[in-house]
Amino acid sequence: MICNTRLSLSLGSSTTTTPADQNNNKGKSTQEDDHQELTLCLSNSSDHHEYLTNCNMINNPQLLGGVNSSISVSSFSNTSVKRERDASSQLEEEVENLETKKVVLISPKVNVDVDDDNEYGGGTRKKLRLTKEQSDVLEDSFKQHTTLNSKQKRDLARRLSLRPRQVEVWFQNRRARTKLKQTEVDCEILRKCYEELKEENKRLNKEIQELKSLKMSAVPFRVQLSAATLSMCPSCDRTYGGAATDSSTKISYSIGDQKPHFYGIPSQIHQQQLC
DNA sequence: CATTCTTCGTGATTTACCTCA
DNA sequence: TTTGAGGTAAATCACGAAGAA
């Protein structure tokens, strides 16, 4: 029987924990955090719904036995599963590491920390700095393929005297930072594009305003036209000055027209304005 | 100069999510 | 359909070097 509903209450100072919060608590006891999690489970019993309340003792699964021995402990916490997995992969890496030590080192300055597991024992994290050679090899490898399969990872790690995990992390960070840089580049391109479009929009708006003012200045002139020059538009029944070749019309459109490109097509403008 | 502070690059961790067997 | 393993992205931490004040 697996609990379908899970309500978790953090008994810590904060009820919601972000990754950042959790990171801030790094170095403190994450196991303690697990112990503080109170889990309320709703069982799926066909006869009745029974509420089971139990403390999620991740690291003390035997304590769950009294409530319901068939409850899958691992289903409560991905973290614990992950830790187990990490532990096993760590073991694998240690084996790799032992093999690695047989390999000729690429550089006299080796960054493999033999006491890696004790790295944070003293509360300080030692910062690994890759050598130039190691970085170059990783960069070359990244140029060829941005992701690695297990074999490639192992081979590369062996070649560089690093743990496979370190190679994996390097590639993860490299991908993330490459993407970040690309995003910045894209952002810059979009920004320029936006500026150009803004300018274009400004120019077009100005053009619209000029056309509008042109139209307004053309209306009084049309009123002055003699009835003899007016024709009826067949589509909208409006009257208009049909003499598109009228020299006076051409002149009237020339007045105040600051846009040279309007010259030569006054009749088109005239028609559009009327209909 | 020596010290302190800030910034930046980067290795490492955690978590969530996805895919696949 | 569920489950666990394995992988990746994203967010973040933290160390250490370099430069400014």
Side-chain angles (χ1 to χ4, degrees), chain A residues 210-211 214 217 251-264 269:
Chain A
E210 284 171 358
L211 285 170
L214 207 62
S217 66
I251 293 167
S252 72
Y253 278 111
S254 299
I255 295 169
D257 187 357
Q258 313 258 324
K259 288 277 181 183
H261 60 271
F262 288 145
Y263 289 92
I269 295 171

Side-chain angles (χ1 to χ4, degrees), chain A residues 179-192:
Chain A
K179 188 179 177 184
L180 189 66
K181 275 183 183 168
Q182 187 55 49
T183 303
E184 284 171 4
V185 168
D186 289 347
C187 256
E188 185 59 23
I189 289 169
L190 283 173
R191 195 188 62 76
K192 281 179 181 165

Side-chain angles (χ1 to χ4, degrees), chain A residues 27 103 201:
Chain A
V103 181
N201 190 41

Side-chain angles (χ1 to χ4, degrees), chain A residues 158-187:
Chain A
R158 200 167 287 145
R159 187 175 162 200
L160 298 173
S161 305
L162 293 170
R163 283 184 285 123
R165 173 69 183 153
Q166 288 175 305
V167 173
E168 185 182 316
V169 166
W170 188 91
F171 269 75
Q172 281 173 5
N173 286 322
R174 190 69 173 77
R175 280 193 298 270
R177 280 146 194 166
T178 298
K179 188 179 177 184
L180 189 66
K181 275 183 183 168
Q182 187 55 49
T183 303
E184 284 171 4
V185 168
D186 289 347
C187 256

Side-chain angles (χ1 to χ4, degrees), chain A residues 3 37-41 52-56 64 67 71 76:
Chain A
C3 298
E37 188 175 343
L38 181 66
T39 307
L40 179 66
C41 290
L52 300 174
T53 307
N54 59 70
C55 292
N56 182 17
L64 289 168
V67 179
I71 290 177
F76 284 101

